[in-house]
Amino acid sequence: MKTIAVLTSGGDAPGMNAAVRAVVRTACKNGIKVYGVIRGYNGLINGDFIEMDLRSVSDIINRGGTILYSARSVEFATEEGMRKAIRTCQEWGIEGVVVIGGDGSFRGARDLSERGIPCVGIPGTIDNDIACCDYTIGYDTCLNTIMEMVDRLRDTSESHDRCTVVEVMGRRAGYLALNAGIAVGATAILIPEIPFDIEKHVIERMESTQRTGKKHFIIIVAEGVNVDVHELAKEIEARTGVESRSMTLGHVQRGGYATVKDRVMATRMGNYAVKLLMDNIGNRVVAAQKEEVVDYDIFEALNMSKSIDLELYDIAHEVSI
Ligand code: F6P
């Protein structure tokens, strides 16, 4: 391949810039022209490209967000939008595309690959909800951000003998909530993968820890369980008598400097993705499995399922008492 493009799509994630940098530098080093596509698949449709060189990606390895901007393209989901994107790629001589994003972005990459534009996906999402991957770029930074924020909430919660109910991101998945919940010593963790009952999993747990002298509490709720944390805090206060506060952490979780793990994995994955395209291999997803970087057929990857670590869930409940 002589010319490739790289885009970021879906919700941004810390470490995406490190992946873009690795893609651009690997391509340049191997004599491949590389275009940065602006605003995901919308940029691919409209030919919104910037030719990148070694210096275009200087000083971005540490930065959160994505210098290529991101979008969830409605137009690309239509047959007409897809055709336009293919025409644009042909006009610009683009022979392969690296797509950094989540499941939705990979579906676009699969469709493009099927229509003759080889694509390689790199998992970039804070939710860690891509089935073929143990880990996705941005997840580690996000967990650390949640931990820092909740540590701060704990200080004030403890000072006032309060219960603080915190909603963390994870549209359909509880990986962030479970792992952050363990890291902050949450009394209860509610995630979409495991059915729960407020009486048993929150109120009774609080009461049993109260009996051993505990006076302040952190409850972590995954966004995906669709529990209103503000209402839950009121209910907890009414039922237990413990003054309660609530907070939705929101998009603060998606920003910030990427951690070492996110930068290193993003760099390895970006490099790996370009090497696949150099071998004329498309329709693949790069994945992290037990610290190794591997790749899967996109179709196969999208049909895989991932389960939550039940042992981890049990440990959390056994220890946070
Ligand atoms: O997919 C990542 C994510 O941050 C989810 O955790 C969350 O539900 C969603 O994106 C929020 O999307 P938006 O930024 O469009 O509000």
Side-chain angles (χ1 to χ4, degrees):
M1 281 187 196
K2 291 274 166 279
T3 306
I4 63 168
V6 55
L7 63 84
T8 49
S9 164
D12 63 318
M16 277 184 164
N17 279 328
V20 170
R21 172 179 176 271
V23 168
V24 170
R25 294 258 169 99
T26 306
C28 290
K29 178 87 176 39
N30 289 283
I32 297 170
K33 186 192 268 191
V34 55
Y35 290 112
V37 183
I38 305 301
R39 296 191 175 82
Y41 289 112
N42 287 338
L44 208 59
I45 292 171
N46 302 322
D48 199 355
F49 301 146
I50 298 174
E51 189 174 339
M52 313 285 276
D53 62 24
L54 292 174
R55 299 279 69 80
S56 332
V57 288
S58 294
D59 303 319
I60 67 165
I61 193 162
N62 53 331
R63 282 169 54 189
T66 160
I67 61 158
L68 296 178
Y69 301 90
S70 192
R72 295 188 173 98
S73 176
V74 177
E75 191 179 359
F76 187 74
T78 66
E79 191 56 39
E80 180 51 25
M82 169 85 57
R83 282 216 204 96
K84 274 198 213 164
I86 292 169
R87 260 198 317 272
T88 313
C89 287
Q90 288 163 346
E91 279 162 21
W92 287 71
I94 291 166
E95 296 161 290
V97 183
V98 178
V99 173
I100 306 167
D103 267 356
S105 313
F106 291 169
R107 276 189 280 279
R110 174 201 59 199
D111 295 346
L112 272 181
S113 296
E114 276 171 0
R115 289 163 173 79
I117 309 283
C119 295
V120 176
I122 295 180
T125 165
I126 59 164
D127 288 2
N128 196 30
D129 60 348
I130 296 182
C132 66
C133 307
D134 289 346
Y135 145 91
T136 58
I137 296 169
Y139 175 58
D140 188 62
T141 304
C142 182
L143 277 177
N144 281 285
T145 303
I146 296 171
M147 184 178 72
E148 189 190 330
M149 296 296 145
V150 179
D151 281 352
R152 288 167 190 245
L153 290 170
R154 169 187 282 272
D155 291 344
T156 167
S157 199
E158 180 182 2
S159 304
H160 290 267
D161 292 330
R162 281 177 179 159
C163 172
T164 304
V165 185
V166 186
E167 181 189 297
V168 302
M169 275 189 170
R171 195 196 298 266
R172 283 177 290 269
Y175 303 101
L176 284 171
L178 177 56
N179 285 277
I182 290 174
V184 301
T187 301
I189 303 169
L190 306 183
I191 56 176
E193 293 86 348
I194 298 183
F196 59 85
D197 169 52
I198 300 291
E199 178 65 31
K200 180 162 175 270
H201 291 95
V202 180
I203 309 292
E204 283 179 19
R205 282 188 66 80
M206 283 179 66
E207 286 170 348
S208 82
T209 58
Q210 270 178 321
R211 286 194 286 276
T212 57
K214 190 166 172 61
K215 293 196 167 41
H216 65 94
F217 309 85
I218 301 286
I219 311 294
I220 297 288
V221 179
E223 175 191 7
V225 301
N226 289 323
V227 161
D228 182 326
V229 286
H230 311 299
E231 290 304 317
L232 179 57
K234 283 186 205 153
E235 187 180 342
I236 288 171
E237 185 164 317
R239 303 279 297 280
T240 63
V242 177
E243 195 181 8
S244 299
R245 294 287 185 269
S246 54
M247 170 158 202
T248 300
L249 279 187
H251 288 79
V252 71
Q253 295 164 91
R254 282 227 305 247
Y257 293 143
T259 56
V260 170
K261 177 165 182 171
D262 279 333
R263 295 182 201 191
V264 172
M265 288 308 288
T267 301
R268 290 174 67 190
M269 288 179 168
N271 177 265
Y272 192 105
V274 176
K275 298 274 168 68
L276 285 175
L277 289 177
M278 283 168 61
D279 290 338
N280 277 316
I281 300 171
N283 197 28
R284 306 296 290 178
V285 171
V286 176
Q289 288 276 356
K290 301 191 195 327
E291 303 296 318
E292 282 305 304
V293 179
V294 296
D295 59 288
Y296 288 92
D297 175 86
I298 298 187
F299 188 79
E300 189 191 333
L302 286 170
N303 281 306
M304 289 166 82
S305 56
K306 181 170 174 175
S307 50
I308 202 89
D309 187 342
L310 291 176
E311 200 186 327
L312 203 55
Y313 181 81
D314 289 344
I315 291 172
H317 283 84
E318 210 171 319
V319 173
S320 286
I321 48 170

